[in-house]
């Protein structure tokens, strides 16, 4: 799994953090999680808040553009975050809920391939 330098999100790049090749691939999606959870995600896969015991959400959501992760995190990031670029197989996308800006995966057996990630450090401010 690669660690990529974050591309500074700006209006010119539609607030995206990854290269166009990833941002425009219909099989590639993005998920943000606290960096302290990276090892667990790599070992056990992405898990819903309900499975983790930290909330009620039964699905794992993935943004269609990395900028969707920024919208989820808010304006000021209080701890280090990993933003993962992941790839699903076409047949797996038949088993997800497809929304305009993201997908929700309810089936825990559907786990994407992690292509890499970038780190947003605590204090990163989305303007």
């Amino acid at each position: 799994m690669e660690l990529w330098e974050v591309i500074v999100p700006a209006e010119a790049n539609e607030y995206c953090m990854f290269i166009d090749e990833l941002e425009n691939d219909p099989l590639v999606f993005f998920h943000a999680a606290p960096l302290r959870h990276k090892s667990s995600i790599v070992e056990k896969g992405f898990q819903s808040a309900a499975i983790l015991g930290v909330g009620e959400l039964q699905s794992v959501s993935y943004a269609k553009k990395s900028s969707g992760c920024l919208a989820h995190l808010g304006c000021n990031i209080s701890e280090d975050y990993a933003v993962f670029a992941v790839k699903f197989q076409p047949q797996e996308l038949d088993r997800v809920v497809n929304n305009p800006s993201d997908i929700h995966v309810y089936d825990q057996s559907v786990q994407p391939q992690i292509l890499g990630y970038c780190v947003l450090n605590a204090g990163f401010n989305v303007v």
Side-chain angles (χ1 to χ4, degrees):
M1 172 178 35
E2 286 191 60
L3 169 61
W4 291 304
E5 287 293 320
V6 66
I7 295 173
V8 177
E11 187 174 1
N13 62 9
E14 298 177 348
Y15 297 97
C16 291
M17 295 170 272
F18 293 90
I19 61 172
D20 287 344
E21 179 183 344
L22 293 173
E23 295 283 352
N24 296 320
D25 186 327
L27 300 176
V28 173
F29 296 84
F30 305 92
H31 182 89
L35 185 60
R36 60 187 158 85
H37 296 307
K38 182 176 89 55
S39 296
S40 176
I41 291 169
V42 170
E43 286 177 26
K44 299 175 187 173
F46 295 95
Q47 298 179 338
S48 71
I51 290 172
L52 293 171
V54 296
E56 296 181 18
L57 190 61
Q58 299 290 322
S59 65
V60 178
S61 62
Y62 300 89
K64 292 181 178 179
K65 295 281 189 178
S66 63
S67 58
C69 295
L70 293 175
H72 171 74
L73 292 175
C75 291
N76 195 323
I77 298 171
S78 61
E79 67 178 295
D80 294 347
Y81 267 79
V83 179
F84 295 92
V86 300
K87 188 168 192 171
F88 287 90
Q89 295 301 311
Q91 65 274 16
E92 291 173 321
L93 293 178
D94 293 337
R95 299 167 52 197
V96 308
V97 175
N98 191 352
N99 299 312
S101 63
D102 64 8
I103 62 170
H104 287 258
V105 179
Y106 287 88
D107 184 345
Q108 184 64 35
S109 69
V110 176
Q111 289 290 327
Q113 172 193 3
I114 299 174
L115 301 174
Y117 67 103
C118 66
V119 174
L120 297 178
N121 292 312
F124 182 88
N125 194 355
V126 180
V127 181

